[in-house]
Amino acid sequence: MSVHPSGITKQPSYDVAVVGGGPAGLAATVATARLGRRVVLIDAGAQLGGQYWRHPDLSSAGAHDHAGHRDWEVFEALTERIRRHRQTGAAVHLAATQVWFIEPPGPDTGAPAWTLHLAPTCGVQDDRMPRTVRADRLILAPGCYDRQLPIPGWDLPGVMAAGGVQALLKGQRTLAGKRAVVAGTGPFLLPVAAQLARNGAKVVAVCEANRIGRWAKQPLALARTPAKLAEAASYGWSLARARIPYLTGTVVMRIEADSSGNQVGTVKLGRLRSDGGVQPRPKRLEVDLVALGWGFTPALELVSASGAETRVDVDRSLVAVVDDRQQSTVAGLYIAGEATGVGGAQLALAEGELAGIAAADATHLERSRVRALGREIRRLRAFAVAMHRSHPVPPRWSEWLTPETIVCRCEEVTYARVSEASTRLGATDARTLKLLTRCGMGWCQGHVCGFATAALAAAGQTRPLNAEDLRPLAKQFPCAPVPLGSLLED
Amino acid sequence: MSERDRPTSVTGAQVAANREPATIHLTLDGRELTARAGQSVGAALTQAGIRSWRRTRHGGRPRGLFCGIGICYDCLITADGVPNLRACLLLASDGMQLTSTGPESTPTTDGGAA
């Protein structure tokens, strides 16, 4: 192993590498270090916490008031333990660092361990930062981001992902707009609306595509997770107190610019009929902010790059296949948190800890803990399934598209071009559709339009969405855009 | 009721720690902006009421923050001459010179360095 002049080894080697510093990655790191393994935690964020515990830069932005953070004490306890493990050398934290390529161990590569190729999240490579790390075991906890559906006008400035609006509040104390509509589906719309209102924005409506009655079909899952019900009730109360209308069975079906033409001005609403069709409503809302979210998409590029098997989850997201110890179909690769199925922070914490224990080869030493975590995971997974069944993406969402609607924001591919490729050019699968239209081939590599493109490919053939539709849009090389120099050096 | 709905009691320690973060100065195409230390470039621009700083290369459409968490690359900006940085992740710094990009200089993913 070479030692860099700065004192940091250039290709350090660890027992376990954890990628992702959200709830799952933090729990995995703490469990691994507690069991005596040397662990490196690689996180794209400048600060630990992931999206769930995103917070202002404490060193320069003044004190943190915990606003909008649940379970903050859990985060503090985890980071305090990581701080102690760092002091003893058991744990190393590489912040603001992205993994752009993974080389698995084994006969194919001739390498005895996993090799992770690193690049800074922002800016240029720092000499003090290792360009690769090696580890015997790998835990991926890459988290997720808002799932999006194209809507006419959704590329206007002032239209944002609901998670991005929340990130500005939680991480930057910055309000993205003054008059907002929050739209899409899922419980996450509630905290976003409540936090906007609490910080002084006028939230003119929350548009929930589904009807709340769907939850009544899931009584068992609800009974087993009373804390989730209480959380929903508290947000409902916040909305009621701020007099925010909660419109169910309602979608934003068109977004139009203001008089400048350069940002959002009004939205047109639609009602979802019981047959799934969309019926325009006369109502228009004047807004300067549209926050959109249709559930979440797990970040699966590292999972795909590592060769682990994937499947379609209840919410139609592509997720990693794992066993009851969080091990993927690739030996030595463990996956925890949203990448195994979107389910929230509590589930991610349990999965992360279990993955840490398993990667440390300690399941036989921790039998009762492993059993308890297994029970917790099954209980919370049942709730997640109920949530997904209650908040599906509207099956006929493409009916609100117009020929001019942008599907792929990066490459500016319109719905007309997607339809043409699908019906006239013979793009009967998502891979061909991507190659013919360039949907999902721009800067974001399909993170934003991937689900929609896959769904349109399937719809073009009038068959249900399957894993083969989603896979080509979840696989990218490199896994994060890097300067060409990084590719040449290795 | 959730934690954040309750009024918070302010202790002495919190008052001491709650000092206002330093104000920093930066420019976008020469226009002066202020930001709080620790804010991202995207947050600083949003706070200044600026919502787009890039035009797309085909349609010349305005773009700014969308995903807000480093996924979508819509918010690319040039800072101190370094192109293609994600404004949502880039920390604002004192004296930073930001440049917006028109359609002609909007980066491509094919051929050019990412």
Side-chain angles (χ1 to χ4, degrees), chain A residues 51 54 57-72 98 120-124 144-146 148 154-161 163-165 167-168 171-177 194-195 198 234-235 237-238 241 261-264 288-289 292 404 406 409-412 438 441-444 447-448 480-484, chain B residues 1-8 13-23 36-76 82-92 103 106-114:
Chain A
Q51 306 309 328
R54 182 183 279 274
D57 175 356
L58 300 184
S59 61
S60 56
H64 175 46
D65 63 4
H66 305 187
H69 282 111
R70 293 189 169 268
D71 312 315
W72 186 252
Q98 298 182 122
T121 303
C122 243
V124 286
C144 65
Y145 45 87
D146 298 271
Q148 294 299 337
W154 73 309
D155 65 328
L156 282 165
V159 181
M160 285 185 70
V165 170
L168 273 177
Q172 310 283 335
R173 297 183 192 158
T174 301
L175 201 51
Q195 284 156 13
R198 181 177 176 271
S234 88
Y235 287 128
W237 171 243
S238 301
R241 233 181 13 169
N262 286 330
Q263 61 174 352
V264 60
D288 67 357
L289 176 66
L292 300 172
E404 304 79 32
I406 296 281
R409 301 166 64 95
C410 300
E411 296 294 310
E412 299 171 78
R438 293 196 58 82
M441 290 175 75
W443 271 84
C444 91
H447 281 112
V448 179
V482 287
L484 281 178
Chain B
M1 182 180 290
S2 68
E3 178 198 4
R4 86 203 122 59
D5 291 329
R6 255 179 257 136
T8 348
Q14 277 175 317
V15 172
N18 250 326
R19 67 191 187 283
E20 274 305 298
T23 298
R36 295 191 299 273
Q39 250 181 338
S40 70
V41 164
L45 292 166
T46 301
Q47 193 137 296
I50 299 167
R51 297 192 117 178
S52 65
W53 41 88
R54 181 170 88 79
R55 292 267 171 180
T56 59
R57 69 177 190 278
H58 300 305
R61 302 158 84 97
R63 294 284 174 87
L65 290 183
F66 178 67
C67 82
I69 59 170
I71 296 292
C72 77
Y73 292 81
D74 252 357
C75 67
L76 294 177
V82 181
N84 307 338
L85 298 171
R86 287 171 283 181
C88 65
L89 300 180
L90 181 64
L91 200 64
T106 292
T108 64
T109 44
D110 20 57

Side-chain angles (χ1 to χ4, degrees), chain A residues 338-391:
Chain A
E338 311 296 8
T340 69
V342 172
Q346 269 64 41
L347 180 55
L349 283 167
E351 289 190 359
E353 184 178 349
L354 183 56
I357 294 170
D361 273 330
T363 49
H364 60 293
L365 303 172
E366 302 256 324
R367 284 207 180 103
S368 67
R369 187 65 189 148
V370 166
R371 270 198 302 274
L373 288 168
R375 280 194 300 273
E376 177 82 341
I377 289 168
R378 283 191 297 278
R379 184 177 73 90
L380 292 166
R381 182 61 70 195
F383 174 82
V385 168
M387 178 182 73
H388 295 322
R389 288 197 177 129
S390 304
H391 295 279

